[in-house]
Amino acid sequence: MRGGRRTGSPAAPPFPFLMTQNDNHIPQHVAVIMDGNGRWAREQGEERLYGHRHGVDAVREVVRTAAETGVRYLTVYAFSTENWGRPEAEVDGIMTLIAGAILSELETLTGAGIRMRFIGDLASLPEVLQESIHTAEATVIPDDKLRMTLNVALNYSARWELTDAMRRIGLRMKAGELTPEEITEELISEHLTTRGIPDPELLIRTSGELRLSNFLLWQLSYTELYFTDTLWPEFGREAFLEALREYGRRERRFGRL
Ligand code: IPE
Ligand code: IPE
Ligand code: MG
């Protein structure tokens, strides 16, 4: 894809190369498991944190591309509840890196109509990261300027999320606000961190691992899965567009014929 938006032809779709027979070729919501930073760093003969730093560059490029193509929600898995099990120096390095990236990207993202939201057990994150999150979430983008929401999953796991949702539903039942009959799929969805957001149509996982690693288990029930061997720091604009093209070729049946 070169040149991007066509000029002089306002009716032309901005990304004609993505057009397929399928009208719904641009997913509203794309979820990404950004994996392979450590292996990429090792390939370069560097420390793991070097890979995480380059991972931030890949996020920047993918976010920009997603917004340009018309994706409305991009949810990226940045740190799982299981990732606390890594060496302290790596965990500290990742936390500092994310806290810094949120602040350094805030102005550019806001200018491009991209707002940041955060999902996960945020109260257990280091203070400095919580402050960055607060600053980003307090930044308002008017509705007519809003292009995309970037959801960053931090200290997130799907089992944590579902357990937390069940606990809060239980508390509401105990308080007499709800009866068991009122527990529906919609009610459960409303108690998840992704409330109000459509389920992802497409999940991308980089680095060749074929698993979900505790990511969005409820929301991914009918999502198209796209796995690539590319390591996250090397995943950029072209790789993201290729994933969208592949999505455009899929036939989604939802159990029907
Ligand atoms: C993904 O890359 C980033 C995080 C999980 C924070 P990894 O750090 O998992 O890289 P690999 O999988 O070890 O190569
Ligand atoms: C999944 O990657 C979590 C994130 C991308 C933040 P991991 O590297 O932690 O997953 P596993 O351990 O290979 O399943
Ligand atoms: Mg990994």
Side-chain angles (χ1 to χ4, degrees), residues 220-231:
L220 295 177
S221 295
Y222 254 111
T223 301
E224 294 297 324
L225 308 179
Y226 178 85
F227 296 101
T228 170
D229 287 339
T230 305
L231 301 172

Side-chain angles (χ1 to χ4, degrees), residues 32-36 39 48 76-80 82-83 86 153 205 207 209 211-214:
V32 187
I33 301 176
M34 313 183 289
D35 199 12
R39 276 163 283 169
R48 294 180 59 83
V76 297
Y77 205 2
F79 193 86
S80 75
E82 287 79 18
N83 289 146
R86 297 186 179 198
R205 182 172 189 148
S207 90
E209 305 299 350
R211 54 179 171 259
L212 296 178
S213 300
N214 216 345

